């Protein structure tokens, strides 16, 4: 419900950004997030927690597209990418801290109420700090507050660069006024935006990177990392949670790498390298999970009988091919049973039993390991290694760069609208992937699911190569001119052609 709320929050945020400004939009998002946290913490019943999640989602959706936009417009173009990447680092760092905070609250009274309620504190702090910050200079200039915009730009740029920025803003604003002719409300503006070649090409690029970011499967890893680790053969919930904490930490570290390199090597290059690495890791993970399922222990009738007839999995006892059953079949959707490892070790044929507390207790009392998500595997550690590598490769490229691209690729007039549409695409893809992951693993298995994500990632890689231009170090006006001419990876940019001519003449 939080993700669903974020879809609407991103859509509303796009409109609010253009109408009321970036600063006000962030402060409204803070209020929504705080309200959601309080509602959840005080919830007397599950329906109220769901309502609180919707409020939180609205706030997250608005902030997710507004914060990168605000940072981008208030940053010198030389370090714009690094500063927007800082936003990504603070998000992933916050996720890591939330794991630690929640872990601490498991030992106090009212556990989950504290976990959900404490989330309102950062919103309060940000709201108070936003009161001391200025509005985006570009939004101010477009809304007739040229002097206010100039005073802010003078604090951001060197004295000799301010006039160039003002001139670029002037040209952009004048061009918009020539196109202004009554948009006719939101849908009219949307229609005019789609007819505008620059906006349309910007949306092709912006939506491509946002949807690709989700269809590589990252949020399945972040939301379900304990489950995935159990699929790899780690039965202990505590072990799975500890290993998932590592994946969250690696995601934060990867954001720091993006801050260091995105303005040096460019957005496009980082995303392409990231996608190639992601595809490689997903293919290897698919192979590892396939091998883990093939080499999983068999079911022993003797071991199963050890726990008594009433404890035996009913699907196993009724199966005509029970002798061919293994751990994977026992834990499958049709059986929905648990696997108790053998007395001689976890890799020996074990027992297929009913899932209930009494049977689980009996298995553990016999000094054996109880499995319900994944089977014992000698190569399960490889899944954890490549899961970590996947996140390290994802975070610096596809983790932060899509938000940078969307904060700088649209004309000023349509920046909120374009960013909102792209953010809605991101959260919609997020919802589809996260809601279907467990269903996919039931029908395709872990191996087939990761291979499917690898296929989606390959499509994303090709789309990014064909549709997304490089915007590193460009002024917003230069980005508009680049899109106005139309981008193709097979032709040199005007800057590259000019440099080649200068090198040839020299």
């Amino acid at each position: 419900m939080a993700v669903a709320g974020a879809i609407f929050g991103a859509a509303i945020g796009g409109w609010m950004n253009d109408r009321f400004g970036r600063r006000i939009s962030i402060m409204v998002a803070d209020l929504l997030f705080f309200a959601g946290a309080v509602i959840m913490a005080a919830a007397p019943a599950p329906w109220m927690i769901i309502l609180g999640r919707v409020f939180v989602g609205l706030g997250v959706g608005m902030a997710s597209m507004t914060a990168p936009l605000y940072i981008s417009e208030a940053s010198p173009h030389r370090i714009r990418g690094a500063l927007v990447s800082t936003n990504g680092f603070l998000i992933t760092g916050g996720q890591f801290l939330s794991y630690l905070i929640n872990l601490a609250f498991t030992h106090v009274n009212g556990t989950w109420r504290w976990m959900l309620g404490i989330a309102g504190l950062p919103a309060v702090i940000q709201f108070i700090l936003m009161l001391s910050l200025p509005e985006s200079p570009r939004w101010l200039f477009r809304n007739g507050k040229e002097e206010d915009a100039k005073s802010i730009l003078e604090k951001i740029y060197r004295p000799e660069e301010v006039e160039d920025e003002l001139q670029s803003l002037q040209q952009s604003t004048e061009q918009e006024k020539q196109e202004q002719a009554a948009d006719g409300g939101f849908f009219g503006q949307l229609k005019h935006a789609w007819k505008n070649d620059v906006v349309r090409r910007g949306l092709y690029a912006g939506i491509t990177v946002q949807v690709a970011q989700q269809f590589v499967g990252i949020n399945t890893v972040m939301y379900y990392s304990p489950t995935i680790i159990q699929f790899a053969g780690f039965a202990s919930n505590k072990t799975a949670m500890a290993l998932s904490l590592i994946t969250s930490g690696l995601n934060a570290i990867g954001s720091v790498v993006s801050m260091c390199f995105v303005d040096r090597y460019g957005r496009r290059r980082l995303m392409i390298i990231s996608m190639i690495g992601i595809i490689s890791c997903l293919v290897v993970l698919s192979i590892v999970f396939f091998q883990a399922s093939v080499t999983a222990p068999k079911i022993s009738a003797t071991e199963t009988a050890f726990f008594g007839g009433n404890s035996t999995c009913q699907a196993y006892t009724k199966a005509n091919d029970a002798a061919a059953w293994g751990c994977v079949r026992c834990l499958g959707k049709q059986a929905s049973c648990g696997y108790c490892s053998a007395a001689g070790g976890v890799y020996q044929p074990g027992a297929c039993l009913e899932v209930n507390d009494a049977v689980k207790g009996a298995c553990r009392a016999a000094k054996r390991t109880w499995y319900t998500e994944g089977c014992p595997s000698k190569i399960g550690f490889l899944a954890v290694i490549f899961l970590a590598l996947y996140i390290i490769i994802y975070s610096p490229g596809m983790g932060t760069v899509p938000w940078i691209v969307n904060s700088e690729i649209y004309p000023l007039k349509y920046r909120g609208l374009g960013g909102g549409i792209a953010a809605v695409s991101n959260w919609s893809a997020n919802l589809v992937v996260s809601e279907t992951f467990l269903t996919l693993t039931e029908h395709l298995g872990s191996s087939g699911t990761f291979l499917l994500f690898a296929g989606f990632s390959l499509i994303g890689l090709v789309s990014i190569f064909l549709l997304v231009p490089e915007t590193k170090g460009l002024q917003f006006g230069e980005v508009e001119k680049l899109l106005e001419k139309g981008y193709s990876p097979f032709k040199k940019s005007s800057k590259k052609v000019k440099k080649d001519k200068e090198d040839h003449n020299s």
Side-chain angles (χ1 to χ4, degrees), residues 304 309 312-323 325 329 334-335 337 352 354:
T304 303
T312 306
C313 171
Q314 294 299 310
Y316 172 70
T317 58
K318 294 177 181 178
N320 294 326
D321 60 343
W325 272 45
R329 183 81 176 273
Q334 300 302 320
C337 296
C352 186
E354 289 286 346

Side-chain angles (χ1 to χ4, degrees), residues 105-178:
F105 279 128
T106 58
H107 301 292
V108 301
N109 293 328
T111 53
W112 61 267
R113 293 188 186 275
W114 283 105
M115 290 178 186
L116 297 173
I118 199 69
L121 183 60
V124 172
I125 295 172
Q126 180 170 268
F127 182 90
I128 294 170
L129 292 176
M130 286 301 298
L131 294 172
S132 65
L133 289 178
E135 181 51 81
S136 158
R138 285 167 178 79
W139 186 88
L140 289 171
F141 194 94
R142 183 177 176 272
N143 286 272
K145 300 179 181 180
E146 289 88 352
E147 288 303 316
D148 291 340
K150 183 178 180 181
S151 66
I152 296 169
L153 288 173
E154 286 173 346
K155 297 176 182 178
I156 297 172
Y157 289 93
R158 297 167 184 165
E160 64 273 16
E161 295 176 328
V162 174
E163 286 304 319
D164 288 341
E165 285 298 314
L166 285 171
Q167 187 176 358
S168 176
L169 278 175
Q170 182 71 38
Q171 291 173 351
S172 179
T173 304
E174 287 177 357
Q175 185 178 353
E176 288 170 14
K177 286 179 179 178
Q178 291 173 3

Side-chain angles (χ1 to χ4, degrees), residues 36-53 56 98 101-120:
V38 171
I39 289 170
M40 290 188 296
W47 69 265
M48 197 165 174
I49 296 179
I50 293 171
L51 178 65
R53 293 303 289 170
V56 166
S98 73
I101 291 168
N102 286 352
L103 190 63
F105 279 128
T106 58
H107 301 292
V108 301
N109 293 328
T111 53
W112 61 267
R113 293 188 186 275
W114 283 105
M115 290 178 186
L116 297 173
I118 199 69

Side-chain angles (χ1 to χ4, degrees), residues 99 220-250 285 288-289 292 331 370-388 391 437-438 441 446 450:
Y99 274 89
T220 62
V221 172
M222 299 310 296
Y223 297 159
Y224 300 114
S225 54
T227 303
I228 294 170
I229 289 167
Q230 286 182 320
F231 286 163
F234 294 88
S236 168
N237 286 331
K238 289 183 179 179
T239 301
M241 285 296 291
L243 290 173
S244 66
L245 186 62
I246 294 173
T247 62
S248 179
L250 291 172
L285 281 168
V288 168
F289 278 107
L331 301 185
W370 177 251
Y371 296 86
T372 56
E373 298 293 347
C375 297
S377 173
K378 294 180 180 179
I379 61 172
F381 70 95
L382 288 175
V384 177
I385 291 172
F386 278 95
L387 204 59
I391 291 172
F437 175 70
L438 293 180
T441 57
S446 302
F450 281 106

